[in-house]
Amino acid sequence: MPLSPNTPVEKMTEPYHRRWWALLVLCLSLLIVVMANTSLIVAAPDMTKDLGLSSSDLQWVIDGYTVPYAALMLVLGAIGDKYSRRGALVLGLLIFAGGAVMGGLVDETNLVITARAIMGVGAAVVMPATLSLLVAMFPRAERAKAITAWSATSGLAIAAGPLAAGWLLENHAWGSTFLMNVPIAVLGVVGALLLVPPSKAEGMGRIDYVGGLLSIVSVGSLVYATIEGPHFGWGAGPITAAVVAGVGLLAFVAWELKHPNPMLDVRKFTERPFSGSMMAVLFFFFGTFGSIYYSTQFLQFVLGYNALETGIRLLPLAGSVFVGAAVTGKLAPKLGVKLVVGTGMAIGTVGVFLLSRIDSGSTYTDFVTPLLLLGFAIGLSLSPATDTIMGSFPESELGVGGGANDTALELGASLGIAILGSLLATSYKDKLTDLVGGHLPAEAMDTAKDSVGGGIAVAEQVAKNPQGGAQQAHTLLGAVHESFAHAIAHTSVIGGIIMAAGTLIVIAVLPGRKHTAEHGEEDAAPATEEQTATVGA
């Protein structure tokens, strides 16, 4: 007799028969969570113009989502484990949809930031729930394939967000990029109730709320300091946040080491498969998100593509993600995670380094190869690394495992955008000062140095001057384009070096298959179906 979707996974005597349909619901939920960040890339110019956002305001619109998203995932993953993973998924989608409705209807900066924060809380519930439900539903023999589909969805969302937002912005205001999430979230809720079975940890003890609070404080402060410090200077706020993050992290580790039922067993970081895979996820999203962030700006501000045209030109990234995912499904069981993840990170590093060739004469074709390499690397590396991380946790801690994986992912993306974005801004400012310093009024120069968008806006104002304004604007615009291209090339060298160092570290930490067998550790490579045919759900 077919098993009901309301039969808890833990009570099933055989794998859930609708698990692949349920996976579609999980991937759909993941899609909108990631798209909420990437769609903002192309919606930001319209939001800035309509709301009169300063650079600080725009940063907070971004951070309003990122900080709670990163800080809460570990705790909310544990709560999902304790009470209901499916319930967490449904609740998270409803919170996310509520924030999206608010963001699409308001027209005041602080309310938009609040809406983004609500969406971030919802995302922090959804993200770990998708992974914990996936691992609970799928037998070990099929889990690598399911995680590959989950990982490919993350890569798809990087391109799908700008594409969908760009299409909407052709005929609608920026609020539509918020509202587009609502029907998908509702569809996810309905799908979860009809197709995803209940699941929760059996015999789980009391939740370590003190450890959870310390993790929120430390991760939230770290993300805040990382984002605010490079962009706005290491003033009192970012420095205080960095100190709080450091103290909170030390307190978290000390508390977890002595707690009988810790929120996260920090001793796992002494296990090479787990720690190596966590570092792989962090370093990888550091390089890829940072590179995509400034590449998209070049396509819009220098090459002049609109939002939809920019989204279309990111499609090679999405396509190559699926190619990489297909390849890793074949290679990882045969070669092991050390080789596959290391190779993927090396390919991604080459993609970042190739962006160092960008100059003011570059066209879209100069971005195609880096995008293809970055997408292929995401598809190749993310799935086996995530599979290894999730395989390190027992059934009672799957939500925590999902939260740990997703925290590494989001922290890496935040670091990439913040640090590489800061290097980009500094390099752009210095180069533009060298090219046009002293030729503009101080106020106009400050605006032009603030960002490439600001430089273009100043050039447009200069063009209105009937006394030679057109020629002056042409010269300034050329300087802005040259400065931004120089900044991308310089930043890509630094980003590539960091990625290369991260690749070497990950390769050194991840154990080889021989070492794994000798020490009795679970190989990071996904098990084959023949090896695990008798493993149940």
Side-chain angles (χ1 to χ4, degrees):
M1 176 181 292
L3 295 169
S4 166
N6 291 317
T7 302
V9 172
E10 293 73 29
K11 303 297 183 183
M12 295 181 182
T13 57
E14 61 186 53
Y16 176 51
H17 68 295
R18 292 182 179 176
R19 59 192 178 279
W20 293 104
W21 286 105
L23 176 64
L24 182 61
V25 175
L26 302 183
C27 288
L28 191 68
S29 304
L30 171 68
L31 184 72
I32 59 172
V33 165
V34 180
M35 279 175 55
N37 253 349
T38 59
S39 61
L40 196 66
I41 294 174
V42 296
D46 282 6
M47 293 179 66
T48 300
K49 181 179 179 180
D50 190 37
L51 296 174
L53 300 179
S54 66
S55 59
S56 177
D57 291 335
L58 181 59
Q59 191 64 43
W60 268 110
V61 170
I62 297 170
D63 299 351
Y65 184 82
T66 302
V67 174
Y69 181 22
L72 295 172
M73 279 192 284
L74 197 63
V75 176
L76 295 177
I79 292 174
D81 280 338
K82 175 73 173 178
Y83 298 105
S84 173
R85 292 165 182 149
R86 185 178 71 172
L89 177 64
V90 170
L91 178 61
L93 287 170
L94 291 174
I95 294 172
F96 187 89
V101 170
M102 178 180 176
L105 298 179
V106 300
D107 58 0
E108 197 273 321
T109 300
N110 289 332
L111 293 178
V112 173
I113 294 171
T114 301
R116 289 278 294 172
I118 293 171
M119 293 174 69
V121 173
V125 184
V126 170
M127 192 80 161
T130 61
L131 264 181
S132 60
L133 282 165
L134 183 157
V135 175
M137 285 191 301
F138 282 86
R140 191 66 181 88
E142 297 176 344
R143 196 173 298 157
K145 293 179 182 178
I147 289 180
T148 296
W150 183 93
S151 303
T153 302
S154 298
L156 172 64
I158 296 174
L163 181 62
W167 177 72
L168 287 169
L169 290 170
E170 288 285 289
N171 298 299
H172 303 282
W174 56 264
S176 62
T177 63
F178 283 79
L179 295 175
M180 72 177 180
N181 296 295
V182 178
I184 304 176
V186 171
L187 183 61
V189 169
V190 174
L193 295 175
L194 293 178
L195 297 170
V196 178
S199 174
K200 66 178 181 179
E202 294 187 328
M204 181 177 176
R206 295 180 61 185
I207 293 178
D208 172 22
Y209 284 109
V210 173
L213 178 61
L214 290 172
S215 75
I216 292 172
V217 171
S218 56
V219 175
S221 299
L222 177 60
V223 172
Y224 172 82
T226 298
I227 293 171
E228 295 294 307
H231 277 279
F232 304 115
W234 287 95
I239 285 180
T240 301
V243 171
V244 170
V247 173
L249 184 60
L250 291 174
F252 174 73
V253 172
W255 177 265
E256 299 299 271
L257 284 173
K258 71 175 185 178
H259 198 280
N261 187 31
M263 173 70 63
L264 173 65
D265 184 0
V266 294
R267 295 177 182 85
K268 287 187 182 297
F269 286 96
T270 64
E271 300 171 8
R272 292 172 58 187
F274 175 78
S275 57
S277 296
M278 287 283 285
M279 285 189 288
V281 171
L282 188 148
F283 275 113
F284 196 77
F285 275 84
F286 172 93
T288 54
F289 261 68
S291 300
I292 293 167
Y293 170 74
Y294 55 70
S295 295
T296 305
Q297 290 188 59
F298 191 95
L299 296 180
Q300 288 184 283
F301 290 113
V302 178
L303 298 183
Y305 295 122
N306 63 28
L308 177 59
E309 291 167 341
T310 300
I312 291 172
R313 281 159 179 80
L314 290 177
L315 287 177
L317 174 77
S320 59
V321 167
F322 283 97
V323 174
V327 170
T328 201
K330 300 291 184 182
L331 294 183
K334 298 177 181 178
L335 303 179
V337 162
K338 182 186 181 79
L339 183 56
V340 172
V341 170
T343 300
M345 291 188 68
I347 292 171
T349 300
V350 172
V352 175
F353 269 124
L354 285 178
L355 291 171
S356 66
R357 304 178 305 166
I358 297 300
D359 57 33
S360 57
S362 293
T363 64
Y364 169 66
T365 56
D366 295 299
F367 288 86
V368 172
T369 299
L371 288 174
L372 288 171
L373 291 176
L374 287 171
F376 182 78
I378 290 172
L380 190 66
S381 298
L382 183 58
S383 172
T386 297
D387 192 24
T388 301
I389 291 169
M390 294 303 295
S392 301
F393 289 85
E395 184 276 335
S396 62
E397 299 176 14
L398 294 181
V400 174
N405 177 85
D406 300 335
T407 299
L409 186 155
E410 185 62 24
L411 183 58
S414 299
L415 286 167
I417 292 175
I419 295 175
L420 296 184
S422 176
L423 290 170
L424 182 82
T426 301
S427 183
Y428 165 78
K429 184 185 299 184
D430 292 344
K431 184 66 174 179
L432 189 64
T433 300
D434 292 341
L435 292 176
V436 300
H439 297 286
L440 285 175
E443 184 176 349
M445 190 63 193
D446 288 341
T447 301
K449 291 191 301 182
D450 183 60
S451 66
V452 61
I456 293 172
V458 171
E460 291 173 349
Q461 289 297 316
V462 171
K464 297 177 181 179
N465 185 350
Q467 304 297 323
Q471 181 59 42
Q472 292 176 344
H474 179 75
T475 301
L476 175 58
L477 193 61
V480 168
H481 289 176
E482 181 180 346
S483 299
F484 194 66
H486 167 80
I488 285 181
H490 177 260
T491 303
S492 297
V493 171
I494 304 300
I497 291 173
I498 295 173
M499 279 282 288
T503 301
L504 294 176
I505 292 171
V506 168
I507 291 174
V509 172
L510 282 175
R513 306 189 75 165
K514 181 178 179 181
H515 178 278
T516 298
E518 290 175 349
H519 289 76
E521 298 171 346
E522 182 181 352
D523 193 345
T528 64
E529 293 193 17
E530 290 78 9
Q531 291 171 322
T532 58
T534 61
V535 178

